[in-house]
Amino acid sequence: MATYRLEAKVISRAKGRSATASAAYRSGGAIEDERTGELFDYSRKRGVLHSEIMAPANTPAWMFDRAALWNAVERVEQRRDAQLARDFIISLPHELTHDQRVALMRDFISDELVSRGMIADFSIHAPDRRSDERNHHAHVMVTMRELTGAGFGLKNRAWNRTELLEQWRAHWANKVNLHLERHGHAARVDHRSLEDQGIAREPEPKQGPIATEMERNGKASHAGDDRRAVQVRNDERNTMARESAAIEAELILLDPDRPRGPAFEDVREALERADDVSHHRPRFNETDGGMVAQQREAMRRFQRNSDALEARRQQQAQSITPPPTPLDPGRIIPMVGEGKDEVPAMVSRPDHLRAEQSKASTSPAHEQQQRSEPAQSQPSLPTSAPAKAGPQKARAANLNVTARLLPRVMRLDA
């Protein structure tokens, strides 16, 4: 995708910089500084694809000569901390051809800089051989004083406003998108911050020229380490987002009425290519790359997590329902019925009830009560029929009482 970058800095004499040296480096040429007598020769610099000076209609002809232009700027600025020129660094879309990038730069400079009275000296640089091959970019140096006849007049302070810089940033994004659309490219850029765009990604810190040179020479830098740490965190966010989108797509396929998130469509198309969507095993072409490969890996990870979750659920279900255990003879309460040859019905007594009964029976109060009261026979549980009803009805009555009490005792026992 196309990348966005438009930065504006000031070339200041207070920082030890000069307009002549900056212009020579950006254009890949040689300029002698008439004020100091120093020669800045960058004619052996490689990667300068195009250099051009654009100026208003009333600009004198001699100002289209690079050395004459920036030597005039150096002469007119007398202060040791003078601001000499404004310097733009702009990323160019790699989707466009070289001629299309030159046309894009001319369009932007004409509408935004030259139309305000500035003289713009711009150069287009190719990507460095040791960096990203898509890093096409341009350097633009513009004057900070208005033209008056054959020379420079006063500085225009309105060109320093922050609001104007924000306007330039927005207009550059519009120009890039216009040219991308004109040449049939779907890529677009946005000048807003990631937060304002609603993108959950951490911005990568800038390395600067010193750290960049160290990294190119194989030496680690603090800025490079910080940038790599941010890249790792962003990769983790992307992985989590893809897995979440895959799960969301599966849930929506199972429940069509479920609300759909923004990442659903991409994952849904991948899932629809699967032979068995219900088992989350989409089969992708192994030669596919980019998002398709990432989705394939996310689906495999999701399947493993689903299998592990199902195994845990089955294990928990087995632990919740223990196997039946035989009744403890010590926890049996006989139910008295009539008839010497009938088998008494059995009811299980909970352990905590047996413990409480044992404590109560051994207490001094209980012994005193037993001495003061006459001996009584063990009371029988209530029955639904009197004792005179005979053995058949007594047995039936005991079974009815057992059927009513057994569920309650088992709940206590549980």
Side-chain angles (χ1 to χ4, degrees):
M1 58 177 296
T3 58
Y4 179 89
R5 183 186 182 188
L6 187 146
E7 298 180 10
K9 302 179 182 179
V10 172
I11 298 175
S12 175
R13 191 176 287 163
K15 297 181 180 180
R17 304 180 64 188
S18 69
T20 51
S22 299
Y25 175 81
R26 283 152 179 74
S27 63
I31 298 178
E32 182 180 359
D33 192 318
E34 298 174 356
R35 187 177 65 91
T36 62
E38 188 174 1
L39 176 65
F40 301 102
D41 187 358
Y42 294 95
S43 56
R44 300 181 63 181
K45 175 179 172 57
R46 294 180 294 184
V48 180
L49 304 179
H50 181 87
S51 293
E52 182 178 344
I53 294 177
M54 299 179 63
N58 60 337
T59 302
W62 62 268
M63 286 189 175
F64 287 90
D65 179 88
R66 185 167 287 107
L69 171 65
W70 296 113
N71 269 297
V73 169
E74 289 285 351
R75 284 194 303 269
V76 75
E77 301 295 348
Q78 301 296 324
R79 295 173 58 95
R80 291 185 299 175
D81 59 349
Q83 294 182 343
L84 305 172
R86 180 169 285 104
D87 182 26
F88 291 91
I89 303 177
I90 303 176
S91 291
L92 300 175
H94 65 89
E95 292 85 352
L96 301 180
T97 65
H98 171 70
D99 292 338
Q100 292 169 352
R101 297 187 196 105
V102 173
L104 170 61
M105 288 301 302
R106 288 172 177 169
D107 190 9
F108 175 76
I109 291 174
S110 176
D111 291 348
E112 301 297 331
L113 304 178
V114 173
S115 63
R116 301 178 188 275
M118 306 176 193
I119 302 176
D121 182 4
F122 79 94
S123 299
I124 295 179
H125 290 186
D128 190 272
R129 292 175 298 171
R130 295 169 292 177
S131 65
D132 192 340
E133 61 181 7
R134 300 168 299 178
N135 186 26
H136 298 270
H137 59 281
H139 295 269
V140 185
M141 291 178 58
V142 296
T143 56
M144 305 182 71
R145 291 179 177 269
E146 295 181 339
L147 290 175
T148 57
F152 291 108
L154 299 176
K155 284 189 174 180
N156 191 330
R157 303 298 179 182
W159 296 345
N160 297 335
R161 292 184 296 110
T162 303
E163 296 80 6
L164 181 58
L165 176 59
E166 292 300 324
Q167 179 179 334
W168 282 334
R169 288 176 52 82
H171 289 182
W172 171 249
N174 294 336
K175 287 290 186 184
V176 172
N177 292 334
L178 177 63
H179 282 251
L180 287 172
E181 182 180 6
R182 179 181 301 170
H183 297 290
H185 298 284
R188 297 292 183 270
V189 298
D190 197 319
H191 70 286
R192 298 174 298 171
S193 65
L194 296 176
E195 182 179 0
D196 292 341
Q197 297 180 50
I199 299 177
R201 188 172 76 241
E202 187 177 350
E204 296 183 6
K206 298 181 177 64
Q207 290 187 166
I210 298 178
T212 300
E213 188 64 25
M214 291 176 60
E215 295 286 336
R216 288 174 179 174
N217 295 330
K219 299 180 180 179
S221 64
H222 293 295
D225 293 340
D226 294 341
R227 188 170 189 174
R228 282 184 287 272
V230 171
Q231 291 173 349
V232 170
R233 291 194 292 269
N234 285 333
D235 290 341
E236 293 175 351
R237 289 189 181 93
N238 292 337
T239 300
M240 295 176 62
R242 289 192 298 269
E243 293 180 354
S244 176
I247 296 173
E248 179 188 3
E250 287 293 326
L251 293 175
I252 292 175
L253 291 177
L254 297 175
D255 183 9
D257 296 332
R258 183 182 179 89
R260 304 186 176 192
F264 165 72
E265 293 298 332
D266 292 338
V267 182
R268 180 187 62 81
E269 294 178 359
L271 290 174
E272 286 181 349
R273 294 197 294 268
D275 292 337
D276 188 2
V277 175
S278 62
H279 288 81
H280 321 293
R281 293 191 180 95
R283 297 190 304 182
F284 299 95
N285 187 352
E286 294 297 333
T287 60
D288 292 339
M291 179 61 74
V292 174
Q294 296 168 356
Q295 290 169 350
R296 180 179 62 251
E297 180 60 27
M299 290 296 97
R300 292 172 178 170
R301 191 179 299 108
F302 176 66
Q303 175 61 35
R304 293 193 297 268
N305 295 339
S306 300
D307 294 341
L309 179 60
E310 183 62 25
R312 287 197 299 269
R313 287 177 178 173
Q314 294 179 1
Q315 184 178 4
Q316 292 175 358
Q318 294 176 359
S319 62
I320 292 174
T321 308
T325 56
L327 294 177
D328 183 4
R331 300 164 61 190
I332 300 301
I333 304 176
M335 296 190 63
V336 180
E338 295 188 3
K340 297 181 179 180
D341 56 346
E342 69 177 306
V343 179
M346 302 297 178
V347 178
S348 175
R349 176 183 296 170
D351 292 337
H352 66 279
L353 294 181
R354 288 202 301 150
E356 292 177 0
Q357 183 179 5
S358 176
K359 292 180 181 178
S361 63
T362 59
S363 63
H366 180 72
E367 295 177 357
Q368 181 66 24
Q369 182 179 2
Q370 284 184 341
R371 286 193 298 269
S372 62
E373 295 180 357
Q376 297 180 357
S377 60
Q378 175 71 22
S380 61
L381 294 175
T383 61
S384 59
K388 297 180 181 180
Q392 299 290 340
K393 292 185 179 181
R395 184 184 301 107
N398 285 338
L399 292 176
N400 291 336
V401 173
T402 302
R404 291 197 304 270
L405 293 180
L406 185 58
R408 303 180 186 177
V409 176
M410 291 183 67
R411 285 197 298 270
L412 293 175
D413 202 9

